[in-house]
Amino acid sequence: MPELPEVEVVRRGLERWVAHRTVADAEVLHPRAVRRHVAGPDDFAHRLKGHRVGTPSRRGKYLWLPLEDTGQAVLAHLGMSGQLLVQPHEAPAEKHLRIRVRFADALGTELRFVDQRTFGGLSLHETTPEGLPDVIAHIARDPLDPLFDDEAFHQALRRKRTTVKRALLDQSLISGVGNIYADEALWRARLHYERPTATLTRPRTTELLGHVRDVMNAALAVGGTSFDSLYVNVNGESGYFDRSLDAYGREGLPCRRCGTPVRRRPWMNRSSYFCPKCQRPPRVTA
Ligand SMILES: [Zn+2]
């Protein structure tokens, strides 16, 4: 599953290669890829035709292409294996090509949605006055959003009876932080994942948010991190990069700070990686 930095890399690629181009036609090769569009594949294709794509936008892991002057946007669900590729017309169709969008210009490239497992897809939605597809209007801003409110986030943490990693993955509090970057940020902040958020002081919250932003920006700088080798960014370059990770996926390897072997614990159907020495479990109070 791509995380925020991967999605941002895709967004930047789309901004460069697809923004401000007018759709000549869209071809749905597999109806499952537009199953979220209730009116069906023909309606989906018809609604894109003739419209200009605005600036591709993102909130958290959600990515969409606004269609200018329609009050609508195409939301991309990358799922586990979805890819948005910009390819020359003459490039052979990918084995798992699901949707093809051609443009009314002479640039010679088209947008392709390719998905091996077909968990992902594209769907069309009305946009809110803020410009968000209506189905994601409840998603909180992400930590790289200049309008993210650190103080409101801290107050929400103080009020909630939850633990810090759950809070980082709660899309109604902060969006775009997935399992990998949560573990990385917690390792950097020396916080155990089960730490109750009500115990976090304002400086601790500020420090944690700083680490969340640092790990994401570091991943962005190298083109995103992903553990799914199927993940390819918008111009077909692999976003696979894992060497900079300090905690995630490092079970049994020495902590890069203190040398203690990193541990892995099952956590909400996933795993949490942490250093048992640097990230002490919270004291249990009766
Ligand atoms: Zn350590």
Side-chain angles (χ1 to χ4, degrees), residues 187 255 257-260 275 277-278:
W187 181 86
C255 167
R257 206 159 36 210
C258 75
T260 306
C275 169
K277 190 173 173 203
C278 299

Side-chain angles (χ1 to χ4, degrees), residues 270-282:
R270 289 177 259 206
S271 293
S272 278
Y273 294 88
F274 66 104
C275 169
K277 190 173 173 203
C278 299
Q279 299 164 267
R280 298 277 190 192

